[in-house]
Amino acid sequence: MRLLLKFYQKEDGIAAIEGALLFPMLTVIGFGVVDTSILMMQTHQLRTGLGTAGNYLSRTVNPEALENRAKRIAISGKFDPNASPYIRGMTPSDILITYRDVPNPETDGLRDYRGGDNVRIVNLSGTTEYKGIGILKIVTGGKLSIAGQYEIRLIGAAL
């Protein structure tokens, strides 16, 4: 009994025991923060790429003819088809480009937008699987994807 009491009152090594208990939890939290940062960075890169590609298309005379270039700009920032993408594994096929016409009627001599009776809008959207470190996939229980969208009025195209 005296030996047990002597062992119980000793405080040597208590910090090592606390560290051993807390280290795994702090490691998982640390990697989770890094994984979340990577996800946020890649989402930003995708949205920035879509914006750059949308701005490129909006100023061209024939945007439909330049869609492949715009898709390469969206994923890598370059026209070069061999350029490395911002997000590992992303391809031009992950980018969707659509167009729509918005009526622009004249009311009391004024229009909502500059231009004619119709305003043409280009919409770029992209989705790809998030690979990351894997902590977020474990927490969410499956696949995570990165998605973004950008919409802009065509100002260079003839309607």
Side-chain angles (χ1 to χ4, degrees), residues 13-33:
I14 194 74
I17 293 170
E18 288 173 354
L21 292 173
L22 290 176
F23 181 74
M25 183 178 67
L26 292 175
T27 302
V28 169
I29 290 171
F31 279 118
V33 168

Side-chain angles (χ1 to χ4, degrees), residues 36-46 86-87 146:
T36 303
S37 298
I38 293 170
L39 174 67
M40 291 171 57
M41 180 189 65
Q42 288 183 352
T43 300
H44 173 73
Q45 288 173 325
L46 174 61
Y86 294 129
I87 301 167
I146 300 169

